[in-house]
Amino acid sequence: MTDASDTDGLIRQLPDVLANKIAAGEVVQRPASVVKELVENALDAGAGRIVVRVKEAGRALIQVTDDGCGMNRNDARRCFDRHATSKIRGIDDLERIRTLGFRGEALASIGAVAQVELKTRRVEDDVGTLVQVHGGSLETHRPCATPAGTTISVRNLFYNVPARRNFLKTPGTEMKHISDTVYQQALAHPGVHMELYHDDRSIVQCEAATANDKIERLRFRVRQLWTEERAAALVPVSDASSYLRVWGLVDNPQQFKASRDDQFLFVNDRYIRDRYLSHAVRKAYGDWLPEKAFPFFTLFLELDPKRVDVNVHPTKAEVKFEDESGVYGLLRSSIRSALKEQFTTPELHPDGDPAPRDDSSESSSSSARPTPVSFSGTRPSSSRDDSSPAPRRSASPQPASPQPASSSQSTPARSLGDLTDRLYRPADADEADTTGSEGTPGQGPVWVLHDRYLLVPIEAGLMVVDPRAAHRRIVYERYLHRLQNESGESQQLLFAETIDLSAQEADRFQALQGELAHLGFDAGAMSGRTVALRGVPPKLDTEAAVDAFRALLNTDDDAPESATETRRKAWARTLASRQALRDVSGWAPEERRAFLKALWDCEVPYVDPGGTPTLIRLSLDEVGALLKQA
């Protein structure tokens, strides 16, 4: 006789209540998940006003009220069925999704693990509908009096799944997740009025933005959620390619945090998490930011839904792009361009004067550059194309002989090459560190303060330059230019240095010998793992050159951009840090101006490769305030 169990088999269709509880494990991870799903439903319903109320950080109550389109009696009941949705009808709809929700899982999953009450009414209906679902079971479905729109109340979340409830974090942690969720939706939809209350205490109050310009609407929303100061300091970003538009607001280079908390990225108004694209934002800042610093940003990517898959994550928090590298590239370039256009540093005329401001013209041939202190400067006039590389000095295998540095005997250093050949000249008795040369007509003074800083009077006040940080920036860009143009200069050693390499270093040397030569390292393999170093970059002494050579062979390449470009930047930073500048007491006035000119010619003149500011600007008011404090 055959056993009935053998005939029926082992696989069973799960009851809907149990299936919904299992689905809730993915969709409803914590109270913030419920808030997200309900607010997204309200937005998809066309709501112009959304109010979120929670009690006990969402454990006792989560209530979302909206003035959206509402539902009729039948839809109010069907919305709790699994895979019931108004957003898609067929497979083609799945490829062009523009709504936030589309799977039809949220309400069924929430209803399976909580006590849910829904009240809804369409504007054209005289009476609304009340639906109550407890633990997946329909308890009530009847007419009721209710305002137009929808109110959903979720009570006792996870009341029937004690293990899930016990795994919730502290009320403070859960409330932070809820607040983050509301912030995300508020930023994505500045035209929607949003409120959040916790235990009857107001947390978020955001009126709908009404400006015509979407950048200004977003700035208005940032002002509501944070402060006027933060909103005012943000830099607008706007750029587009044939299939992608990027726009939003990013922090100025001086506003940064040690965490990624305030970073918001949206794809077709959907908040996403994407470490790859966040890296693009960080790389756009480059040397503007120190390591392990993170800027605030709220950025929007708009593209055809067919080019992005939003159905690759259980909570739709991640997406997959058809052209991920193209999105990365445009995002990075658009932010970098916006930062360059927004900020300025003083520029010098070829004769050394700070460039005057032209208030009568809105146009300028220069690209503006940031300043580490003042972010409201006027764009200076200049003929220099900011895309051109930093100047390179002419090769000279031997350093220049020391010469007296008096203004009557010295020839003005008009290029970085001239300057670096004469950097370490002895001090002249007429050049004390507390006095400054007035220079010849058409030239402004550059004073030296205690052999440590350069002081430059500018139209707006006073600029203070840190020569050591500035020198690191100049040398860094010089080495980077050599690597990019494969044009190294080498100073030959009288006696070659032999260096014994580790197995890993020897392997990297064989692979990178050509690039090392572009920096000025003339090295060749000998027997075993020994190499002979015959030439080094100019201005590096032998000991520093050997140390740098080893350091370059041990530099890691770990960024998701071009490995070659990453290595070049790391190498240039390494060499810049080892080519230290001595004091500036011996510089003639022309050399100081040439040094500043070399700094302005850098692509990023306001910070060294590690993010340390090269200069600050003090307004006349700030100088006056300092004098009053003295």
Side-chain angles (χ1 to χ4, degrees):
M1 177 179 290
T2 304
D3 192 341
S5 63
D6 292 335
T7 303
D8 294 341
L10 300 177
I11 297 176
R12 299 285 188 273
Q13 182 73 40
L14 294 176
D16 287 343
V17 172
L18 180 56
N20 287 336
K21 280 188 178 181
I22 295 172
E26 290 187 341
V27 178
V28 187
Q29 299 174 351
R30 63 194 333 148
S33 306
V34 176
V35 174
K36 173 181 178 293
E37 298 292 345
L38 298 185
V39 171
E40 287 184 349
N41 281 347
L43 291 166
D44 284 341
R49 179 185 180 90
I50 300 174
V51 179
V52 181
R53 298 181 184 274
V54 299
K55 292 186 181 297
E56 298 179 16
R59 286 174 167 84
L61 172 69
I62 299 171
Q63 184 184 80
V64 176
T65 301
D66 69 67
D67 62 354
C69 63
M71 291 177 281
N72 65 21
R73 175 182 173 84
N74 291 331
D75 284 344
R77 167 63 188 88
R78 280 195 292 261
C79 71
F80 286 97
D81 292 339
R82 195 176 181 206
H83 301 310
T85 179
S86 62
K87 315 298 173 55
I88 59 176
R89 290 289 183 268
I91 189 66
D92 292 339
D93 295 333
L94 195 60
E95 296 179 354
R96 50 175 180 266
I97 294 169
R98 289 198 176 274
T99 55
L100 297 172
F102 56 88
R103 291 174 180 158
E105 292 181 314
L107 287 178
S109 298
I110 295 169
V113 294
Q115 297 167 339
V116 182
E117 178 184 271
L118 178 147
K119 291 182 178 180
T120 184
R121 181 172 70 86
R122 299 183 301 179
V123 174
E124 62 268 29
D125 295 335
D126 295 328
V127 66
T129 302
L130 169 66
V131 177
Q132 292 178 326
V133 175
H134 294 177
S137 299
L138 178 65
E139 300 292 330
T140 304
H141 181 207
R142 61 175 174 81
C144 74
T146 188
T150 300
T151 295
I152 299 183
S153 302
V154 179
R155 293 182 170 85
N156 301 319
L157 183 63
F158 300 135
Y159 80 102
N160 56 349
V161 192
R164 293 293 304 277
R165 192 174 180 89
N166 292 337
F167 273 97
L168 292 179
K169 304 299 183 182
T170 65
T173 299
E174 296 299 340
M175 193 60 214
K176 181 184 184 302
H177 285 285
I178 292 173
S179 297
D180 289 347
T181 299
V182 174
Y183 269 53
Q184 293 159 12
Q185 299 299 345
L187 286 169
H189 305 276
V192 177
H193 179 107
M194 289 195 183
E195 300 177 15
L196 170 63
Y197 297 88
H198 181 218
D199 292 336
D200 297 325
R201 182 170 61 91
S202 176
I203 304 298
V204 173
Q205 286 282 341
C206 289
E207 297 179 4
T210 58
N212 292 327
D213 181 72
K214 59 185 179 181
I215 290 285
E216 291 310 309
R217 289 199 301 270
L218 180 60
R219 195 185 298 275
F220 178 77
R221 182 51 52 91
V222 172
R223 185 181 303 121
Q224 294 174 316
L225 294 173
W226 284 277
T227 63
E228 171 68 35
E229 291 75 18
R230 163 160 281 187
L234 295 177
V235 180
V237 174
S238 183
D239 201 357
S241 67
S242 59
Y243 67 91
L244 173 66
R245 178 170 179 77
V246 177
W247 69 275
L249 295 169
V250 299
D251 248 338
N252 66 56
Q254 284 298 296
Q255 304 295 325
F256 58 84
K257 299 177 62 176
S259 70
R260 297 183 175 90
D261 286 348
D262 293 339
Q263 298 188 335
F264 303 90
L265 186 62
F266 303 90
V267 174
N268 292 340
D269 293 336
R270 181 190 305 278
Y271 173 78
I272 66 164
R273 298 190 304 266
D274 193 308
R275 292 182 63 86
Y276 183 64
L277 295 185
S278 294
H279 182 272
V281 177
R282 181 63 181 80
K283 295 299 289 184
Y285 280 82
D287 296 330
W288 271 305
L289 293 178
E291 293 184 9
K292 298 182 180 179
F294 304 96
F296 169 95
F297 63 79
T298 175
L299 292 164
F300 293 78
L301 307 179
E302 298 175 353
L303 69 168
D304 188 329
K306 290 185 177 180
R307 290 181 171 269
V308 57
D309 187 352
V310 299
N311 195 27
V312 297
H313 190 271
T315 61
K316 303 185 285 288
E318 299 175 5
V319 299
K320 184 174 180 60
F321 294 96
E322 181 180 85
D323 180 18
E324 191 174 43
S325 61
V327 175
Y328 181 103
L330 182 63
L331 183 62
R332 177 179 173 181
S333 64
S334 63
I335 296 170
R336 191 159 185 85
S337 297
L339 292 171
K340 284 186 176 182
E341 290 174 3
Q342 185 71 16
F343 304 132
T344 66
T345 53
E347 294 205 11
L348 298 183
H349 285 312
D351 62 4
D353 277 348
R357 185 174 61 190
D358 183 6
D359 292 325
S360 63
S361 175
E362 293 294 330
S363 63
S364 171
S365 60
S366 74
S367 296
R369 296 192 185 94
T371 168
V373 173
S374 174
F375 295 94
S376 57
T378 303
R379 184 175 303 178
S381 299
S382 169
S383 60
R384 181 178 180 270
D385 181 357
D386 196 53
S387 63
S388 62
R392 292 187 298 121
R393 79 174 192 87
S394 301
S396 177
Q398 300 296 331
S401 301
Q403 297 291 334
S406 66
S407 59
S408 61
Q409 296 176 345
S410 62
T411 302
R414 297 299 185 188
S415 70
L416 178 58
D418 296 335
L419 174 69
T420 51
D421 278 340
R422 303 168 56 189
L423 260 183
Y424 308 132
R425 301 171 63 142
D428 182 75
D430 295 332
E431 293 293 330
D433 65 39
T434 57
T435 63
S437 169
E438 292 298 323
T440 58
Q443 293 181 326
V446 180
W447 299 297
V448 179
L449 178 63
H450 295 304
D451 297 343
R452 293 188 59 186
Y453 300 104
L454 298 179
L455 305 182
V456 186
I458 58 177
E459 183 177 358
L462 181 69
M463 181 172 65
V464 183
V465 179
D466 179 353
R468 291 161 183 79
H471 182 252
R472 288 192 294 270
R473 163 54 57 180
I474 295 169
V475 174
Y476 167 79
E477 294 204 6
R478 183 180 67 188
Y479 280 122
L480 193 60
H481 185 272
R482 289 181 182 178
L483 285 166
Q484 292 169 341
N485 291 274
E486 301 182 356
S487 54
E489 303 157 7
S490 182
Q491 179 173 296
Q492 295 298 303
L493 300 176
L494 183 60
F495 300 102
E497 286 284 327
T498 57
I499 306 173
D500 294 324
L501 304 178
S502 68
Q504 183 181 23
E505 289 172 337
D507 183 61
R508 286 178 62 82
F509 172 73
Q510 291 296 327
L512 304 174
Q513 185 175 1
E515 288 190 58
L516 288 166
H518 299 154
L519 285 173
F521 287 102
D522 179 8
M526 299 177 68
S527 60
R529 297 198 297 264
T530 302
V531 298
L533 187 61
R534 298 181 293 267
V536 300
K539 300 302 179 185
L540 270 183
D541 61 43
T542 303
E543 183 178 354
V546 172
D547 177 58
F549 184 79
R550 282 192 177 279
L552 299 184
L553 293 178
N554 287 279
T555 301
D556 293 328
D557 307 324
D558 57 359
E561 60 172 309
S562 164
T564 299
E565 185 65 18
T566 301
R567 181 171 57 252
R568 286 172 175 172
K569 291 178 180 179
W571 282 12
R573 282 196 299 269
T574 297
L575 288 168
S577 67
R578 283 163 169 78
Q579 195 162 329
L581 176 69
R582 302 175 186 175
D583 67 64
V584 297
S585 61
W587 290 4
E590 296 84 357
E591 291 174 306
R592 300 171 198 163
R593 283 189 283 269
F595 182 80
L596 294 179
K597 179 63 168 60
L599 179 61
W600 307 151
D601 283 340
C602 290
E603 182 179 356
V604 186
Y606 25 83
V607 289
D608 76 357
T612 301
T614 60
L615 59 90
I616 62 171
R617 292 197 303 181
L618 299 175
S619 67
L620 291 176
D621 290 341
E622 290 171 320
V623 173
L626 290 173
L627 291 175
K628 290 178 182 179
Q629 295 174 7

